[in-house]
Amino acid sequence: GCFTSLPQDFSANYDGEVAGFWREVFAAVPQPGRMLDLCTGNGAIALLAADFTNGTGHQLDISAVDAATISPVSLSGKFPDQAALLERINFISDCRVEDLELEGASFDLLTSQFGVEYCDLEAAAAKVVQLLRPGGRYVMVTHTATSDILRFMQQESREYAFLEQQSLFETIRAYLAQETGFDVLYKGLHAAQAAIAPLYQQGGSPLFGSVLGTLTGILKLDEQQLAARRADLEDYYGQIRHGFDRLSDMLRVNEAIQSDPRWFSVFEKAGMDLQDSGEIVYQGRHHAGGFLRFIKPADGES
């Protein structure tokens, strides 16, 4: 088989209290309504909205935007049971929120889950106000200091740092750059495998488990077999570096948010009113994140 890809951070869709929260948000949109999910990632919130409209007959036109390339075809391949729902969503690819060029004052609801806080906040807030009709709402779910996801990311960051200490990334990079040969690669990967294995047995880390699976696969290959699989190794190296860089970026943004408890006031300064905020607790015990609900004042209101 191919070298394994990194584990999904979290499941493709959301259930329980997180889904319940979003269904209440969708239900409050007047019909027929228009919504836009910002920084949609794998489209999870847009898919929840499509599922909601399917189940209730609620008339909701759903769009979703992301700075990365979104491939509905590849999403359908990964999640075949969602194919019909994906067809209900208008995906806008390769576009930052700040650069969106859509008809102004045309949306009833804008949503974001762990997304907009990674944008240029002032520009994103101005765009949110521009896109919402008067009386329209912007609802966001963000990480909080108590969120389990943030703790998971911090733990995974420590694990990546350990992999770096074992020279795992450098060993693969040097081989791919033809600075070292097969023997040096083999020795370096063997040493990394020996260091990671006991930690995986102690804690069952998904990241360590995935890396060990890949290393085991590579170490079974001889020099010619590995040379034939070079593209796979390059792909794996790109994935693991991207995962590390993305995680570092997420933690950097979260630290900035934690250091400024009123970071979201940028939306109020742009002209939105904060309606309410709180925390979503999943299965009665997991802190899934905080929510903020804003409304764009109707004309004549403030």
Side-chain angles (χ1 to χ4, degrees), residues 71-83 86:
S71 167
V73 174
S74 116
L75 283 173
S76 292
K78 275 189 201 162
F79 313 113
D81 53 332
Q82 310 281 8
L86 284 161

Side-chain angles (χ1 to χ4, degrees), residues 253-296:
V253 168
N254 273 285
E255 279 161 17
I257 286 173
Q258 305 310 332
S259 69
D260 178 9
R262 291 280 303 162
W263 64 272
F264 54 83
S265 64
V266 65
F267 292 96
E268 295 169 308
K269 287 176 191 147
M272 304 283 285
D273 291 340
L274 180 64
Q275 277 190 301
D276 71 330
S277 60
E279 191 142 0
I280 300 170
V281 179
Y282 179 65
Q283 293 179 343
R285 63 183 190 277
H286 299 296
H287 290 266
F291 69 84
L292 297 157
R293 277 191 245 240
F294 295 91
I295 188 165
K296 179 177 173 177

Side-chain angles (χ1 to χ4, degrees), residues 113-175:
Q113 180 151 290
F114 311 131
V116 164
E117 52 269 50
Y118 300 97
C119 299
D120 173 337
L121 274 176
E122 279 188 24
K127 186 59 70 173
V128 164
V129 174
Q130 180 195 331
L131 291 171
L132 280 175
R133 64 166 181 76
R137 286 176 169 79
Y138 169 53
V139 182
M140 67 191 303
V141 170
T142 72
H143 296 302
T144 64
T146 55
S147 96
D148 289 357
I149 298 172
L150 184 56
R151 284 213 303 278
F152 176 89
M153 290 196 302
Q154 288 165 337
Q155 174 60 30
E156 201 167 74
S157 178
R158 290 190 287 272
E159 291 167 0
Y160 270 114
F162 180 79
L163 296 179
E164 230 173 3
Q165 284 164 13
Q166 306 314 309
S167 304
L168 177 65
F169 305 142
E170 176 56 23
T171 297
I172 298 174
R173 186 208 63 76
Y175 172 79

Side-chain angles (χ1 to χ4, degrees), residues 38-284:
L38 307 173
C39 307
T40 199
N42 60 15
I45 303 305
L47 279 165
L48 270 180
D51 187 52
F52 171 81
T53 61
N54 253 16
T56 60
H58 202 92
Q59 290 177 284
L60 190 58
D61 177 74
I62 305 160
S63 296
V65 64
D66 202 271
T69 302
I70 309 165
S71 167
V73 174
S74 116
L75 283 173
S76 292
K78 275 189 201 162
F79 313 113
D81 53 332
Q82 310 281 8
L85 296 180
L86 284 161
E87 286 176 16
R88 302 187 66 143
I89 302 164
N90 167 38
F91 284 106
I92 304 162
S93 259
D94 305 301
C95 181
R96 300 185 320 150
V97 169
E98 305 93 306
D99 302 330
L100 263 173
E101 290 186 18
L102 296 171
E103 186 191 343
S106 60
F107 288 94
D108 301 283
L109 172 67
L110 299 185
T111 58
S112 162
Q113 180 151 290
F114 311 131
V116 164
E117 52 269 50
Y118 300 97
C119 299
D120 173 337
L121 274 176
E122 279 188 24
K127 186 59 70 173
V128 164
V129 174
Q130 180 195 331
L131 291 171
L132 280 175
R133 64 166 181 76
R137 286 176 169 79
Y138 169 53
V139 182
M140 67 191 303
V141 170
T142 72
H143 296 302
T144 64
T146 55
S147 96
D148 289 357
I149 298 172
L150 184 56
R151 284 213 303 278
F152 176 89
M153 290 196 302
Q154 288 165 337
Q155 174 60 30
E156 201 167 74
S157 178
R158 290 190 287 272
E159 291 167 0
Y160 270 114
F162 180 79
L163 296 179
E164 230 173 3
Q165 284 164 13
Q166 306 314 309
S167 304
L168 177 65
F169 305 142
E170 176 56 23
T171 297
I172 298 174
R173 186 208 63 76
Y175 172 79
L176 290 171
Q178 298 180 326
E179 293 166 13
T180 56
F182 177 78
D183 292 346
V184 173
L185 174 77
Y186 190 90
K187 191 176 169 188
L189 296 189
H190 219 282
Q193 183 188 45
I196 298 163
L199 294 182
Y200 175 64
Q201 283 155 7
Q202 283 166 28
S205 144
L207 176 62
F208 284 166
S210 170
V211 169
L212 279 174
T214 301
L215 294 184
T216 302
I218 297 171
L219 290 168
K220 284 178 182 167
L221 304 175
D222 64 26
E223 191 166 357
Q224 284 71 33
Q225 289 169 326
L226 184 61
R229 300 281 300 279
R230 183 184 180 82
D232 284 339
L233 185 60
E234 284 174 347
D235 186 47
Y236 178 71
Y237 177 72
Q239 278 189 52
I240 201 163
R241 282 286 356 165
H242 173 71
F244 183 44
D245 293 344
R246 179 168 159 263
L247 185 68
S248 303
D249 189 44
M250 288 165 81
L251 285 169
R252 179 185 55 74
V253 168
N254 273 285
E255 279 161 17
I257 286 173
Q258 305 310 332
S259 69
D260 178 9
R262 291 280 303 162
W263 64 272
F264 54 83
S265 64
V266 65
F267 292 96
E268 295 169 308
K269 287 176 191 147
M272 304 283 285
D273 291 340
L274 180 64
Q275 277 190 301
D276 71 330
S277 60
E279 191 142 0
I280 300 170
V281 179
Y282 179 65
Q283 293 179 343

Side-chain angles (χ1 to χ4, degrees), residues 13-28:
N13 279 298
Y14 301 92
D15 58 8
E17 291 86 340
V18 182
F21 170 81
W22 283 115
R23 287 192 191 103
E24 283 176 27
V25 170
F26 305 144

